[in-house]
Structure formats: C-alpha cells, structure tokens
Amino acid sequence: MNSAAALTGVIPPVCTPLTPDHEVDTGSLIRLVDHLLDGGVDGLFVLGSTSEVAFLTDAKRAVVLDTVLGHVAGQVPVLAGAIDMTTPRVLDHVAVAVRAGVQGIVATAPFYTRTHPAEIAVHFRMIADRAGLPLYAYDLPVAVHNKLSAELVLGLAAEGVLAGVKDSSGDDGALREVILGRRGSFSVLTGSELTVDSALWMGADGVVPGLGNVDPHGYTRLFRAASQGDWEAARLEQERLFQLFELVHVGGGRMGGSSSALGAFKAALYLRGIIDHPTTALPQIPLDESEIARVGKHLAAAGLL
Amino acid sequence: MNSAAALTGVIPPVCTPLTPDHEVDTGSLIRLVDHLLDGGVDGLFVLGSTSEVAFLTDAKRAVVLDTVLGHVAGQVPVLAGAIDMTTPRVLDHVAVAVRAGVQGIVATAPFYTRTHPAEIAVHFRMIADRAGLPLYAYDLPVAVHNKLSAELVLGLAAEGVLAGVKDSSGDDGALREVILGRRGSFSVLTGSELTVDSALWMGADGVVPGLGNVDPHGYTRLFRAASQGDWEAARLEQERLFQLFELVHVGGGRMGGSSSALGAFKAALYLRGIIDHPTTALPQIPLDESEIARVGKHLAAAGLL
Amino acid sequence: MNSAAALTGVIPPVCTPLTPDHEVDTGSLIRLVDHLLDGGVDGLFVLGSTSEVAFLTDAKRAVVLDTVLGHVAGQVPVLAGAIDMTTPRVLDHVAVAVRAGVQGIVATAPFYTRTHPAEIAVHFRMIADRAGLPLYAYDLPVAVHNKLSAELVLGLAAEGVLAGVKDSSGDDGALREVILGRRGSFSVLTGSELTVDSALWMGADGVVPGLGNVDPHGYTRLFRAASQGDWEAARLEQERLFQLFELVHVGGGRMGGSSSALGAFKAALYLRGIIDHPTTALPQIPLDESEIARVGKHLAAAGLL
Amino acid sequence: MNSAAALTGVIPPVCTPLTPDHEVDTGSLIRLVDHLLDGGVDGLFVLGSTSEVAFLTDAKRAVVLDTVLGHVAGQVPVLAGAIDMTTPRVLDHVAVAVRAGVQGIVATAPFYTRTHPAEIAVHFRMIADRAGLPLYAYDLPVAVHNKLSAELVLGLAAEGVLAGVKDSSGDDGALREVILGRRGSFSVLTGSELTVDSALWMGADGVVPGLGNVDPHGYTRLFRAASQGDWEAARLEQERLFQLFELVHVGGGRMGGSSSALGAFKAALYLRGIIDHPTTALPQIPLDESEIARVGKHLAAAGLL
C-alpha cells in the first residue's frame, strides 16, 4: 500500500470553523477548503491538532470528514487524523475515516498512558493493518509527551508500516536523521512552519503548516521556489511568513498556548472574510476584540487584508 | 448537588477484565465486583486509569458501565471516569454515564492540548453543569502532564463545582494544602496506595487504590483501623500492602510502566481465581509466564494464594 | 565510619545572612546559630540549598564553615553541603569541609551533565572514600533534575557508602521504600517541611526544614511530640507550621520560586531581630517592603512577633 | 565593548585531554589546539560543556586557560566558558579568565536554583559589567533546564549586554527568531552540529561544533562553502559530518549520554594520534575497548584514519 509515490508539497492542517454555538460551520469549512485549493495546496490534512481535533466529538469529526471529502471530490489527497489515546480507540476513528474515503491516516503514539517503544511499534502496526491506507506517524511531543526516535520511525518505514512522518517536534537534527536514513518512498513532512525552507533544504518532502490556513499562497510560493532551486526566494517567503506568524502570540499568557494560536488563525480567516465566525472550541478562552484587532494589524502588515 | 455527605472510605478503581480476543469479559467483571464488595469496599470507581479506560472504545466503556451498575444495584456508590482530551468529548462520556445511573463523575483536566488554569476551570464548570452529579477532579500529572494547584481545586470547591478530588500526584504537601484549606463537605481521596495511612492521618477521607483490586480486604482493614484511631494497626497493614505492591515491577523495563502494573494486577486476579484471563489491552506488552509466576510468589508471600 | 548511631531529630539547613553588600554577615550568622540551638535542634546543616550555597563563592563558603564550626564547638553535629556539578569539584569542597571539622557531608548526584545511575554510584563512592565521614545523599530533583531511586540509595547504603539520605523529592512513596528497605543504621531525613509528622510516622529519623530557621522551636516540639508517641500534638504543631509556611509565597511570580522562599525566611529572621539584614544573594530579586510587611503578618499570626 | 565586528565562523569547543590519572594533559592539549588551527578554525572556545568544564576543578580550569592562551598567542580569538551555578560563582571564573587574557566570555543562565527571566537578566548584566569583554549567552536547556527566550536574548542584545548567543537548544525556530530580530552586530552561533548548513542559511554567523574536535577541516570546509554561496557543497559536507556524528552513540545506554559523546570524541582524537589518552573525567563511565574500536570504524568510514 505504500508503493505509491511519496506525498509532497504543502498539506495544511485544515482549521475547523465553528458557529457561535460550537457546531461545525460547514459553509465556512467549504469556503476554507476552496481558499486552500485556490492557494495551490497539494493536499489537505483534516482532524489534526490545528483542526482542534482534541475538542471535536466523534459526531463533529464525522461532519468534518464528510464535508471536506464531499467537496474536495478527489482534487487533492485528503489525510485524516485518527487522534486518540491508544490503539483500540484510534482504530474506531480509522474505520470512520476509511469509510469516508480519505487517502491516508495520521496518528500519534499512544498518550495519557505511559508507553514504550515496543508498544508504539505494535500500535502503528495495528493501525496500518486496519487502515489499508498510507499511514503517517505524527510526532508531536508537546501534546504526546514522547518523541518518536529516528530509529523507531525508520524501522517502521522499512517494515512498510509507515508511509511517512509529520514531524512537529521542532528537532531538526532528528528530522535530518530520518531524511538521511530513509530508503525508498517515505514522505518526511515538517510541521515546523518557521523552518520550512531549511527542512526542504535538508530533503524534506513537504510541510503541514497551521499558518497555511491564513496564507496558503505564501507556503505554496515557498515550496515552488524551493522545488525550482530558487532558495533565495524560498527564504524570503519564509521570512515574510515568519513575521506573519507573530500573530499567534496575541493571546499572551491569559490562555493556553494553543488557544492563542488557534484563536489567531481563526480570527485571521474571519477578518479575511473566509469564515463567518472566529469561534474556537470550549474550554478554550477566546480572543477578545482588542486581540482580534491586533491580528488584523499583522494581516495588514503582511498585505493580507 | 454537593450537599450530600462527603464520599469516604475505600473506593477501588475497578480493573476491566478482558477475554483473550480483547472483549470485555463481563462474567469476570461481575466476579471482580463481588470480590470487591466482599472485601467491604465503600464504593467503586469504574473507567479510571487502572480500568484501562484509555484503551477502551466507547462501546466497551458502555458495556463496563452497564455490567457494573446492573450488578451493584445500589449496594455502594459507583463513580465513573469520563476520561477524554477536552470538554466536548468528556461531556459525551458524561451523558452516557449519567444515563447508566452512576452516582458521581471523575474527570481530569484537558490533556493533549496545552491548557491553562482559566480553561481548566471552565472545563470543570461545564462538566458539573451537564452531569448534575457530584464531580471529582482527577489529579494525575503522570498522564495529564499538569498538576492541579490547591488554589484551583479549592476555588472550584468553594464554587460548588467540585465535590472532591482524587489526588494521584504523589505530592503529599499539596494534598495537605487541600485538606487544610477545604471548607464544608469536600472529599479528599488519595490515589497513592503506598501512603494511605499518612494521608488519612492528615485528614484525607478515603483512598482509590489500584492494588485494592488484588487485596480489597487489606485496604478496608487499613481504613477501619484508622477510622477507629488504631493508627499502629493501620500502619502495619499499609506496610504489608507496601510489600505486596512490589509485584507491579515484574515487567521491568521491557514495557511501559503502566503496562507492568496493570498486567500484574490482572495476573494476580487471575491467579487468585477471580478473573478468567490476565489479558491486558493492546498495544500493551503482556507479562510472560515467568513474570506471571513471579506475581504468584508475591501473592504467596502476602498470604493471598 | 558509618557504624555510629544514625543521625536523628531536627537538623535545620542554616540560612546564610548577608550584609547589604553581599558579604557573609558573621555576627548575624552566629546569632542565627544561637537561635537554632536555643530552639533545641539536634544538628545543623550548613551550605545547603536553603543556605544559598549555589550563590556562595568558595571564599564565602569557607567563612560560613569556619564561623559556624568555631561557634558551635561540638555542641551538636554540623553537616556541610559539598554542592557542585561533578565529583572532582565536589571533592574540593569536601576537603575544605573536612579540614574545618564537620561531622558529615551532604552531596547531590552530578548535575548540569547528563548522568547515569552507574555514574552516580561512582560519584558517591569517591566522595565517601575521600571524606572519611558519614555521607548523606541529597535527593533534590527540583535542582538536580534527577530522582535518586530507592534501589540506588539502598544499594549504596548496603555498601557502607551512604550513612543516610536527605529526601527533598516530595515523593513520600519513595521515601517509604527507603525506610522499609534499609538495614542497620541508616538515617532517613525528610526535607519536606510540610509532612514531617507523616514522614516520622512512616519511620523517618528526622527532618531538615528550611522553615526551621524561622521557627526552630516549632519543629523541635513536633519532633519531641512524635518521639513520645503523642502524634496528635505532632500533627497540630505541623498544621500550625503549615500555615506559617504560606509566607514563602509572598514574592509571587515576579521572581524565582526559591528567591521568594529564601527571601521570606530571611525577612522573617530580620523581623524577629535575629539577623541584621534581609539581603539575599544576587541575582535573586529581593522582596520589596510590602512583601516584607506581609511576612510580618504571617509571623504575627503564628505568634512569632 | 560590543562594537567590534561580530564573531563568525567555526569556533570549536576544545576538548580537555586528560592523563590516565585525570590531570590535564597539557602536551596533548597543545597538539589538539594545533590540530584545530591547522583545520582553519576561526576561534576557540575553552571550558565549555564539550571541554568537560563541569568536571574540571578550578585549578584544572586555570591550567587549561594558561596552556591554550599561551600557545595560541593571539592567532585566533579564544572564548572561555565561565560555567557555574549563579552570578557570584561565575564572576570568580570570569576574573580568572580575564586575567588569563581571553577575548570573550560564555555563560549560561543560573542553574541548580529555580530562576526567573528578571533574574537571568540581572545575571548577564553583572557578568558583562565585570568582564569588560564580549559576553555570549550559552543556551543549553539539556544542562540548564531552562530555554533562553528570544525576547530575553534580544533585549539584552539591545542593551549592549550580550555580544552574541551560542544556541545549543536544537530549536531552530527560536534560533531564527533571534537571527531575524537582532539589530547591529550580534553573533548568532549554533551549537547544533548536525544542522550547520541550515543555520547558516537562516543567517547564523557561525558554529561551535563538538564534533569539530575530531574533524575541524570538515566544518571549516562547510563554513567556507556556505560563505561563498556554494550551498550544495555545504550540504554535502554537513551530510558527511552527520554520518560521522553517529560515533557518539557507541556507549549506548550503559553510561550518561554526554559521557558517550565525550568519550567518543576523545577516543577519535586518540586514534587519530592527536592526544595521548582517551581518558574522560570521573565519574563518567569510560568507553571500553570494543566501543573504542567502533569509534575507529566510524573514523575509517569517514576517511579520517
């Protein structure tokens, strides 16, 4: 199943727009997907951390899957996160995603429980068996409290269990270890949206940038420039996006770090007219009006408003 | 809803027996409940970490709830864990547990996402509102990667949001801060099964001991002795249980720390003839025969075989 | 060398009074020692964390040793911290302390470097060899970022390398493992000043309380009560000291956690007339006047002013 | 004092060769310096973590300073680490280094004590005042257990307190934040020896590579290629060095992680005939013969033997 060409390019983790009463806003979600496709993205990743998957009930996860897959209709590959604590619960999510017609699954190591590399290997093997689709390991120590070692990732790649990795660890030395150690078709995607040019430079195949919701055109310009060997243009685009990324800090210390970032992404999409409400899922503290206004200033400075 | 008398005594977190093909073994579960009731426990806590809740699908969680509540039929209060990443998902579990007829809900702070005390407060308030039942905060930093501060717990207690706390942090200074700072009816339950006598000595109301699955009679003897002021007897019983607790280490370093402990509890229940299979949930590495035999030696030394 | 009777009782870690220009204030130090001896303490621990040893140059450490040992003149045993990153540097401090005439050495595992249990064992063996005096392991994960396992401590105790342990880990389950696992004369001293009654109840031999600088009489009353089996009196004294301990929080979040606690201890000693200046070592942010006034209110509430 | 041109290029942290009885092997140290100068390095950093500074007594630190400065005699700038727990102790090391004639000081934030950004700022200000030399902040969370924020570093740079930063955090997003946020002359040096090409690509000024002891020629080729805009050559050299870096793992899990790396660097220097003994400082577990032989195989594969 992993014999297909490796996934490459810009695959943004799609935000999940919500109505003021916290239902999935499917109209906004469709407009967001169109905005991303218009930006030239190479794939979509739904039900990831940036999609607030941790906050979505199973029913809402299903709405997201059906809405996005129905609308995309094969224009680009859609990957779905199957994010839950351990294998049996992840398998339930995998079954739903497969039925919905996704092109790949993204899963973390077990969390909440104290796990072990031998158990993580069993976990990914069982998921790949059940999915019958390319499986991407999601390395996100800030959420999972566990770093996937290059040794483990490369071993599971060699077994044919993993089709790729989405590395959001911020550890570019370890990222390089996977890049240099892989054999055959294996997608290395960075989730570190501030070092995309350098990750591509090292040999990464693509990027899964949360900020790509706000400015997909920027990330695809970055990726195209790098693909064409115009590294200087790639770097300048990355530096522009770096400045834009400052918007994630508007919520400061009065809420969780991810609440501030997710709130800012949604506020930006709202201010750009792409989604109808900047609402984030509960119990996250929402950005207030002045914070949203500051997001607007960042957009203006980046020429996005 | 929190005006009732505070919960006290021994409330073990009930293991979830599994068949070799990883279904809930309801016959064994009923025998385990009878074993605990025979041991004189004051309540039961289902779907906690020791119940392998992180590994149970929603369907299996429902089987556990229905099996235990149907069998207990009001003999003792039954608390249920509503363990998931954030509020919306926890609320789904709460609804199922309430319908099943539990007497209280146990929930952790949000995990996987990076959260904040203000968000944790919203989280517990929403759960208490929805449940309409006593809500117990579950403080388990080893899983949640966040310690609930005494200030937060006491504030939510004063608001009437929390009816109690299950403290598995191992931080007995902080435990004491809650004990000395609470006002009115508020249950402080320790999850640290090796320092029960001293927690009760400080003023804790009860204990939620994983090892209580294996030896409920021991923990109830400990609690009764302390209640009657016979602290020397309480300490001797605790020291005996301390020795027995060594069985959690039989799995050594070849599996996760919780896999070893849960595997040992189930192996002990199997060897004592209470459950039919020592099976633990996947992807946990199971104990092998020699490790199970070593569990048997611990039981024999404790006079439990 | 460890055949002597185990050290027991109240052994406060002695604060290091400083002049406004950050020299050791030897006059105040002598008055502080007298205050502690008057409080009935069983020993003194100089150059520990509460002594701001991390902030004292070698020259100042020597002044402290000479001042205290010259004044105590054998009335009670004096232990000295030999606190540095690794063995060779610790050995230099040991040599100075031995020449000064201390009765025991206290040392942590290596820090700054990433170490290993096998290396920690070599470390303690080399220190014990050099010192020729009882050696106490100092278990302080908040500073050393490493928890000494009961297995390691008990192994080194059995070898005769360690004469005892000062456990400031806050992990009372692990404390109990050492208490129940030791053989022969081996001092278990708790550094957790809020759970002294329960640590003694479990079998600990004594306490090294930072707050004992402020109220040594309280801690010796607690210890005497426990020694005489009057556990109720011990608990009430501990609960009184628990309330007093609140003073460590007056500095709030505008400085490091240890700066606030050390500043409060020194402010209390200053307000009680025992030392001349509340000065703490640089670069710690000092308490301001309003914070010092709040320390005074805590003292007044405890009847210490 | 910081008006000088920013420090750039390859500045290896110089290993400290030891005799079998753990004295500084000055003859080997001089040969190592010559080896590095022959490799074309742009400066030397003595008494850093790779120099085993944590294991060197003050007397040995002085021997290193005098030996290296006497031999280098101004051919390249020499920076010295002033590594200790807090400001007063660091200042003692600064005084020695200044007298010895170094060209710059490298210091970490306080460690062992729990500190605070406001205290870290005081710390660096006091060191810069005393040194009268360019001061480089050493960001090494694996040792200091504290990440220097870009905000703090840039603020101290703007004040003129810091002349640069040596970033060994492995967090290349944060590295970039400093690079893009700095104004005027401020040296950004990466200590992440596996991502040097990408750090230079982002705008870093140089590198402080532990592996540069073993293969200084490789790192200077890498840096020269990047400086001349031949990024492809830089990447290929980095990838070669990446493979060589595997030697740090020969010690596996039977010793501390830094012991394995430092042991491998010294074994490589010994096998290359540059130093007389592969001895590392106590209490580190030394590499055994088979591990040293495996280091040799890595050298051979890299064409260095």
Side-chain angles (χ1 to χ4, degrees):
Chain A
M1 70 188 93
N2 298 335
S3 59
L7 192 66
T8 65
V10 178
I11 304 112
V14 185
C15 283
T16 306
L18 299 177
T19 63
D21 58 349
H22 300 98
E23 295 302 316
V24 177
D25 178 350
T26 55
S28 290
L29 178 54
I30 286 171
R31 287 200 302 280
L32 174 55
V33 167
D34 284 338
H35 164 66
L36 298 172
L37 294 174
D38 178 72
V41 302
D42 302 283
L44 296 172
F45 171 35
V46 297
L47 303 181
S49 300
T50 301
S51 318
E52 295 174 272
V53 68
F55 301 87
L56 298 177
T57 61
D58 287 357
K60 289 176 186 169
R61 291 185 184 194
V63 171
V64 169
L65 281 171
D66 291 342
T67 302
V68 172
L69 285 160
H71 188 68
V72 170
Q75 298 173 73
V76 295
V78 177
L79 311 184
I83 307 299
D84 217 313
M85 291 174 253
T86 66
T87 323
R89 295 185 61 82
V90 169
L91 293 183
D92 275 4
H93 299 296
V94 167
V96 174
V98 169
R99 275 198 302 275
V102 301
Q103 279 73 46
I105 297 290
V106 182
T108 69
F111 53 91
Y112 186 88
T113 186
R114 287 173 288 155
T115 189
H116 184 279
E119 295 175 343
I120 297 173
V122 171
H123 174 76
F124 282 122
R125 284 184 200 121
M126 289 182 69
I127 297 171
D129 271 0
R130 178 70 61 90
L133 288 174
L135 172 62
Y136 301 86
Y138 193 176
D139 193 14
L140 187 69
V142 74
V144 176
H145 299 281
N146 207 328
K147 169 88 182 86
L148 295 176
S149 71
E151 183 185 358
L152 180 62
V153 168
L154 292 171
L156 291 169
E159 279 185 39
V161 169
L162 294 179
V165 65
K166 186 212 159 184
D167 183 338
S168 296
S169 72
D171 180 343
D172 283 348
L175 178 78
R176 191 163 221 162
E177 192 171 352
V178 174
I179 290 170
L180 295 180
R182 67 181 161 172
R183 297 291 171 263
S185 170
F186 184 80
S187 285
V188 177
L189 308 172
T190 180
S192 296
E193 58 227 299
L194 304 182
T195 54
V196 179
D197 55 338
S198 57
L200 296 173
W201 170 255
M202 290 179 194
D205 302 289
V207 57
V208 185
L211 186 64
N213 283 276
V214 178
D215 191 5
H217 301 79
Y219 277 100
T220 56
R221 278 195 300 270
L222 194 175
F223 184 78
R224 303 307 163 221
S227 299
Q228 294 158 9
D230 188 351
W231 292 99
E232 187 65 21
R235 186 176 60 188
L236 290 172
E237 191 66 45
Q238 176 66 84
E239 291 178 358
R240 194 186 64 82
L241 290 163
F242 195 103
Q243 301 301 338
L244 176 60
F245 189 74
E246 287 296 310
L247 54 79
V248 305
H249 301 303
V250 298
R254 69 179 195 90
M255 62 190 66
S258 45
S259 309
S260 177
L262 297 174
F265 292 163
K266 287 188 158 181
L269 289 168
Y270 166 72
L271 293 170
R272 296 197 72 190
I274 295 155
I275 68 174
D276 287 341
H277 314 282
T279 310
T280 50
L282 290 168
Q284 294 173 100
I285 304 293
L287 298 188
D288 63 25
E289 285 191 25
S290 78
E291 289 160 346
I292 291 177
R294 285 166 54 209
V295 170
K297 290 187 182 171
H298 283 286
L299 290 177
L304 294 176
L305 210 61
Chain B
M1 71 190 85
N2 297 336
S3 59
L7 191 66
T8 65
V10 178
I11 304 112
V14 185
C15 284
T16 305
L18 299 177
T19 63
D21 58 349
H22 300 97
E23 295 301 317
V24 177
D25 178 349
T26 54
S28 289
L29 178 54
I30 286 172
R31 285 200 303 280
L32 173 56
V33 166
D34 284 337
H35 164 67
L36 297 172
L37 294 175
D38 177 72
V41 302
D42 302 283
L44 296 172
F45 171 34
V46 297
L47 303 181
S49 301
T50 301
S51 318
E52 295 174 272
V53 69
F55 302 87
L56 297 178
T57 62
D58 288 358
K60 289 175 185 169
R61 291 184 185 196
V63 171
V64 169
L65 280 171
D66 292 342
T67 302
V68 172
L69 285 158
H71 188 69
V72 170
Q75 299 174 73
V76 296
V78 176
L79 312 183
I83 306 300
D84 217 315
M85 290 173 256
T86 68
T87 323
R89 296 184 60 82
V90 169
L91 292 183
D92 275 4
H93 298 296
V94 167
V96 173
V98 169
R99 276 200 300 276
V102 301
Q103 279 73 47
I105 297 290
V106 182
T108 69
F111 53 92
Y112 185 88
T113 185
R114 286 173 289 154
T115 190
H116 185 277
E119 296 175 343
I120 298 172
V122 171
H123 174 76
F124 282 123
R125 284 183 198 119
M126 290 182 68
I127 297 171
D129 273 0
R130 178 70 61 90
L133 287 174
L135 172 62
Y136 301 85
Y138 193 175
D139 192 15
L140 187 67
V142 74
V144 176
H145 299 281
N146 206 328
K147 168 89 183 86
L148 295 176
S149 72
E151 184 184 357
L152 180 62
V153 168
L154 291 172
L156 291 169
E159 279 185 37
V161 168
L162 293 180
V165 64
K166 188 214 157 182
D167 183 337
S168 297
S169 71
D171 181 342
D172 283 348
L175 179 77
R176 191 164 220 163
E177 192 171 350
V178 174
I179 289 171
L180 296 180
R182 67 182 160 170
R183 298 289 172 263
S185 171
F186 183 80
S187 285
V188 178
L189 307 173
T190 180
S192 296
E193 58 227 300
L194 304 182
T195 54
V196 179
D197 55 337
S198 56
L200 296 173
W201 171 254
M202 290 179 192
D205 300 290
V207 56
V208 185
L211 185 64
N213 283 276
V214 178
D215 190 5
H217 302 78
Y219 277 100
T220 56
R221 277 195 301 269
L222 194 175
F223 185 77
R224 300 313 161 215
S227 300
Q228 294 160 8
D230 187 351
W231 292 99
E232 186 65 21
R235 185 175 63 189
L236 290 173
E237 190 66 45
Q238 176 66 87
E239 290 178 0
R240 193 186 66 81
L241 290 162
F242 196 102
Q243 301 300 339
L244 176 60
F245 189 73
E246 288 296 310
L247 54 77
V248 304
H249 301 302
V250 299
R254 70 179 195 91
M255 61 189 69
S258 46
S259 309
S260 177
L262 297 174
F265 292 163
K266 286 187 157 181
L269 289 168
Y270 166 72
L271 292 171
R272 296 197 72 191
I274 295 156
I275 69 174
D276 286 341
H277 313 282
T279 311
T280 50
L282 290 167
Q284 295 174 98
I285 304 293
L287 298 188
D288 62 24
E289 285 192 24
S290 78
E291 290 159 346
I292 292 178
R294 284 166 53 210
V295 170
K297 289 186 182 172
H298 283 287
L299 291 177
L304 294 175
L305 211 61
Chain C
M1 71 189 90
N2 296 337
S3 58
L7 192 65
T8 65
V10 178
I11 304 112
V14 184
C15 284
T16 306
L18 298 177
T19 63
D21 58 350
H22 299 98
E23 295 302 318
V24 177
D25 178 349
T26 54
S28 289
L29 179 54
I30 286 172
R31 285 200 303 281
L32 173 55
V33 166
D34 284 337
H35 163 66
L36 297 172
L37 294 175
D38 177 73
V41 303
D42 302 284
L44 296 171
F45 171 34
V46 298
L47 303 181
S49 301
T50 301
S51 318
E52 297 175 271
V53 68
F55 301 87
L56 298 177
T57 61
D58 287 359
K60 288 175 186 170
R61 292 185 184 194
V63 170
V64 169
L65 281 171
D66 291 342
T67 302
V68 172
L69 285 160
H71 189 68
V72 170
Q75 298 173 73
V76 295
V78 176
L79 311 184
I83 307 299
D84 217 312
M85 291 174 254
T86 66
T87 323
R89 296 184 62 80
V90 169
L91 293 183
D92 275 4
H93 298 296
V94 167
V96 173
V98 169
R99 275 199 300 274
V102 300
Q103 278 73 48
I105 296 290
V106 181
T108 70
F111 53 91
Y112 186 87
T113 185
R114 287 174 288 155
T115 189
H116 185 278
E119 295 176 343
I120 297 173
V122 171
H123 175 74
F124 282 122
R125 284 184 199 119
M126 289 182 69
I127 297 171
D129 272 1
R130 179 70 61 90
L133 287 174
L135 172 62
Y136 301 86
Y138 193 175
D139 192 14
L140 188 67
V142 75
V144 176
H145 299 280
N146 206 328
K147 168 89 183 87
L148 295 176
S149 71
E151 184 184 358
L152 180 62
V153 168
L154 292 172
L156 291 169
E159 279 186 39
V161 168
L162 294 180
V165 64
K166 188 215 159 183
D167 183 338
S168 295
S169 71
D171 180 342
D172 283 348
L175 179 77
R176 192 164 220 163
E177 193 171 351
V178 174
I179 290 170
L180 295 180
R182 67 181 159 170
R183 298 290 171 263
S185 171
F186 183 79
S187 284
V188 178
L189 307 172
T190 179
S192 296
E193 57 227 302
L194 304 181
T195 54
V196 178
D197 55 339
S198 57
L200 296 174
W201 170 254
M202 290 178 192
D205 301 289
V207 56
V208 185
L211 185 65
N213 283 277
V214 179
D215 190 4
H217 302 79
Y219 277 99
T220 56
R221 276 195 301 270
L222 195 174
F223 184 78
R224 300 313 160 217
S227 299
Q228 295 159 10
D230 187 352
W231 291 99
E232 186 65 22
R235 185 175 63 188
L236 290 173
E237 190 67 44
Q238 176 66 86
E239 290 178 1
R240 193 186 65 81
L241 290 163
F242 195 103
Q243 300 300 338
L244 176 60
F245 189 75
E246 287 297 310
L247 55 77
V248 304
H249 301 302
V250 299
R254 69 179 196 90
M255 62 189 67
S258 46
S259 309
S260 176
L262 297 174
F265 291 163
K266 286 187 158 182
L269 289 168
Y270 166 72
L271 293 170
R272 296 196 74 189
I274 295 156
I275 68 175
D276 287 340
H277 313 282
T279 311
T280 50
L282 290 167
Q284 294 173 100
I285 305 293
L287 298 187
D288 62 24
E289 285 193 22
S290 78
E291 289 159 346
I292 292 177
R294 285 167 54 211
V295 170
K297 289 186 182 171
H298 283 286
L299 291 177
L304 293 176
L305 212 61
Chain D
M1 71 187 90
N2 297 337
S3 60
L7 192 66
T8 65
V10 178
I11 304 110
V14 185
C15 284
T16 306
L18 299 177
T19 63
D21 57 349
H22 301 98
E23 295 302 316
V24 178
D25 177 350
T26 55
S28 290
L29 178 54
I30 286 173
R31 285 199 303 280
L32 173 56
V33 166
D34 284 338
H35 164 67
L36 298 171
L37 294 175
D38 178 73
V41 302
D42 302 283
L44 296 172
F45 170 34
V46 297
L47 303 181
S49 300
T50 301
S51 318
E52 295 175 272
V53 68
F55 301 87
L56 297 178
T57 61
D58 287 358
K60 289 175 186 170
R61 292 185 184 195
V63 171
V64 169
L65 282 171
D66 291 343
T67 302
V68 172
L69 286 159
H71 188 69
V72 170
Q75 298 173 72
V76 296
V78 177
L79 311 183
I83 307 300
D84 217 314
M85 292 174 253
T86 67
T87 324
R89 295 184 62 81
V90 169
L91 293 183
D92 275 4
H93 298 296
V94 168
V96 173
V98 170
R99 274 200 302 273
V102 301
Q103 279 73 48
I105 297 289
V106 182
T108 69
F111 53 92
Y112 186 88
T113 186
R114 287 174 288 156
T115 189
H116 184 279
E119 296 175 342
I120 298 172
V122 171
H123 175 76
F124 282 122
R125 284 184 198 119
M126 290 182 68
I127 297 172
D129 272 1
R130 178 70 62 88
L133 288 174
L135 172 62
Y136 301 86
Y138 194 176
D139 193 14
L140 187 67
V142 73
V144 176
H145 300 280
N146 207 329
K147 168 87 183 87
L148 295 176
S149 71
E151 184 185 359
L152 179 63
V153 168
L154 292 171
L156 291 169
E159 279 185 39
V161 168
L162 293 180
V165 64
K166 187 215 158 182
D167 184 337
S168 296
S169 72
D171 180 343
D172 283 348
L175 179 78
R176 192 164 219 163
E177 193 171 351
V178 174
I179 289 170
L180 295 179
R182 67 181 161 172
R183 299 289 170 264
S185 171
F186 183 79
S187 284
V188 178
L189 307 173
T190 179
S192 296
E193 58 227 301
L194 303 182
T195 55
V196 178
D197 55 339
S198 58
L200 295 173
W201 170 255
M202 292 179 191
D205 301 289
V207 57
V208 185
L211 186 64
N213 282 278
V214 178
D215 190 6
H217 301 79
Y219 278 100
T220 57
R221 277 195 302 270
L222 194 174
F223 184 77
R224 302 310 162 220
S227 300
Q228 294 160 10
D230 187 352
W231 291 99
E232 187 65 21
R235 185 175 61 187
L236 289 173
E237 190 66 45
Q238 175 67 85
E239 291 178 0
R240 193 186 64 82
L241 290 162
F242 195 102
Q243 301 301 340
L244 176 60
F245 189 74
E246 287 297 310
L247 55 77
V248 304
H249 301 303
V250 298
R254 67 180 198 91
M255 61 189 68
S258 45
S259 309
S260 177
L262 297 174
F265 292 163
K266 286 188 158 180
L269 289 168
Y270 166 72
L271 292 170
R272 295 197 73 190
I274 295 155
I275 68 175
D276 287 340
H277 313 282
T279 310
T280 50
L282 291 168
Q284 294 173 99
I285 304 293
L287 298 187
D288 63 24
E289 284 192 24
S290 77
E291 289 159 346
I292 292 178
R294 284 166 54 210
V295 170
K297 290 185 183 172
H298 284 286
L299 291 177
L304 294 176
L305 211 60

